[in-house]
Amino acid sequence: MTTGLIPGEQPPDPRPTGGLPHQRHDPDGPPAQHDENRSRSSVITARAAASFEPVGRSVASARSFVRDTLQGWGFADIVDDAVVLTSELVTNAVVHAGTSADVLCLRSDEGARIEVADRYPEREVPLQGTAVNMGSPDREGGRGLQLCAALAGRWGVEYTPTHKTVWFQLDLPARAVGTRAAGPALPAELLPLADGRVRVAVIQIDRTGHITAWNEDAEDLFGYPADQVTGKPLTDFAAWPHTPGTSTGIAEALRLSRWEGSYGIRDADGRVVPVYASHLRVRDTGGEPSTVCLLVRDHERAVLQTPLRVPASDGPSSTEGQSTDPFEVFIGSPAPDDLDGLLQRTVERARDMLDGDSAFLLLATDDETELEVRASTGLPSARQRFARVPVEAGPGRYGSARMPAVHDDLSAVPGAVPLLNGTGMRSVVTVPLKVEGRLTGSLGVAAEAPARYSNEEALRLQFAADRIALAVESARLGELERLRRGSLSFLVEASDLLAGTLDRDQTLALMAQMTVPTLATWCAVYTIADQSSEPDLSYVLHEDEELIDGIKSLLSKIPPPDPVPTPGARVWSAPGENAHQSALRSSMRSLGLSGGTGNQVTPGIGPTLATASAVGGETVVLPLVARNRVIGMLTLGKPADEHFRQEILELAEDLSRRAALALDNARLYSERTAISQSLQRSLLPPELPSIEGVEVEVIYRAAGEGNEVGGDFYDVFPIRDGAYGFAIGDVCGTGPNAAAVTGLARHALRLLAREGLSGPAVLERLNSAILDEGARSRFLTLLYGEMRPQEDGSAELKVVCAGHPLPLRLRQDGTVEPAAEPQPLLGVIDDLELYEETVTLDPGDVLLCVTDGVTERREGTRMLGDDGLADVLTTCTGLTAGAVAARIMRAVERFASDAPSDDMAILAMRVPGLQQD
């Protein structure tokens, strides 16, 4: 296998073993032996190597490796041939032979040598003099050697027992010393047009994408002084002309060793200036990389543009009778892999072919009723991306996109080509792109001079359009398929996120965050409470957080869009128009044209202009319809001079339907939660009464998310002068039926106690009321008592404990004992024989009442129980009622790590000691 040499060494003998064909030269050229001697005497000045796994994607990776390497060496003239040959040879290795491939690039003064080696283990070494089978050109594989013979200056095959290496040498074209590219002398009228003074902006970008240098021509072209842009990312000013995710972006282009192409720069007035750029990646003496960007106005691209590689009309390809693909003649070889690159290459070649000032390409929608701008050159940015025009616009054939048309003077036929309105173009030729008789697009070339084109140019352009129509449609369908797969994934994720919350505010935030920046640059959500309410601006989001307040202020000052239930997106021009007028008024005030001084309003001009630029593009409104009612509107917007593509609007419409249902579900849930919480709060007393001589404290915890009240309840209320009733209970079960018994018990206790009935009588009547509920009845454990503070500082309690955990009494000496006897619970049998017990709380004593959620707190097989509660209570001597309740709750929570599964209520009453009087 051939191995690379370090700089200064001699390359190996390129002649292959076994007498295989290894060279190609013109009949009139120098002898082959002279070429070989020249190759052996050249010095290798650089080398690059890479290995690729035996998978399909390795072919594309190998192409990129060779392309980037040769472009970095400045060998642009041989890049295309090298990439084609490498692609075929690596395909043979990783696809057909099924082994990994090693690619080695060697640079010399004459050109580049590239070697591709595979590791097929069962290949036989050919015998001396054996003829080489070049394969059939119609086969899927095996064309690599044919291409080497056709394109390479020299080539060969080398074998070892374990490797096969195919190498080829591509020589640089001979030029005069110091000349890299040259073109013929041309008459003055054929030279490209440029302004009186050509300004070349020189911008330097550091490795993080931030601007470090900005020359005077950049200030003149874009209006920003150097100190205003230095340190900011170039992406803040660049308007990249493609759909995100489908092609190379500005950040990726800045990382390439060399890049050349078109994009836009937003100037200080918010307009996009189309530019042609040449990027070169360099490094300083310290090894720090940066990118130098040279930019000119797009119509002056000839200053920077690399001359197109013109296919040779003679040479071996012609002499051997090989035909040339008309598509490759027009587009160039290899053709761009992505749709955006293919369309941009198409309009540039069409413009150059007819010597026009601008060109554009539009693709038809599925129903062929509209054309969408997908690529243009030489036109303002507003005409560049995704603007839509109807297919039949204007009278006669001049307005038809289905037939070739030549317009000698557009000023005589206003509106014939809406895309060119206001651009200064006078003459234009347009031709359709058709596949199997179906309109798929339209290609046009325009010039500023009138009567520039004739039928002959229309035929030339139509011939080119016919050659590329099928490739464009195939690329468009491939892009559409990728977008649809991405859309399905996006909608699935959006549905999961929206289904994961029932909070209205969070749903609004999710709606906006899913659309920005994936679908739009900014978004606003309007909601409608009911049919009689006006739309309310509920949420605003922009990809730049600093612009949100300005957009919100603008939208709050203009009438909201009409809540039309018609599905689909409709254009809303009010934000852009009002923002433009507001910016104009601010600018006039800053100049002192409408009163006031400029110094007073200058601070507000920046945000106003920024807002106008942010909402100056296309704005669309989609209705949010749920359950046959418009509940809001989803507003999506683009910055100045940008439009939505049709696929994005269709995706936004699908999202709006899902978002509307999620928002309505959140509204219904919020309403029902508010009703439930209001009813739950009515089951508990609004506040505890102040009892002279007795401290009272309650802690209540309802189990379950969103519950304020469960099956447990408590109450403390005045009965008559000097007497107070208290109760703590637990209704069996949960849900509405349990809540109904809770409300019945609390209100019945207050009513019956104030009628002067004793404790047993009150509970017996409550028992009858519960049984009267029939199927809705629930049994109830209840501790009820009446308390009367005494003049000596004690308190007398009469208690009835109906099936409830017994109250505990804590004395000042730390002893704990039950304060009542157990009796039957309520809601089970008709005839109850209840009795009341009298308990006297001396000064310093505490009475603790709890529900079973406290005593039945579990951790595995352990349970707190009555004994555990009593142990905790013994540590509460001398504490206030509030401190006692807090310590009990803290002990219960710490007993187990899991969240409580049952409601808990703690009622603590304490008679203060004499020393506190």
Side-chain angles (χ1 to χ4, degrees), residues 800-825:
V800 180
C801 186
H804 199 77
L806 300 179
L808 298 178
R809 176 182 180 180
L810 172 65
R811 295 184 181 273
Q812 277 191 318
D813 60 2
T815 59
V816 175
E817 60 185 8
E821 296 292 335
Q823 300 185 57
L825 52 76

Side-chain angles (χ1 to χ4, degrees), residues 766-806:
L766 176 59
N767 180 64
S768 300
I770 294 173
L771 293 174
D772 289 343
E773 292 292 307
R776 295 184 302 174
S777 67
R778 293 288 188 274
F779 66 79
L780 168 66
T781 67
L782 180 63
L783 172 65
Y784 173 74
E786 295 182 2
M787 176 176 56
R788 292 181 177 84
Q790 304 297 311
E791 294 181 358
D792 60 358
S794 63
E796 182 183 82
L797 284 70
K798 295 182 178 180
V799 181
V800 180
C801 186
H804 199 77
L806 300 179

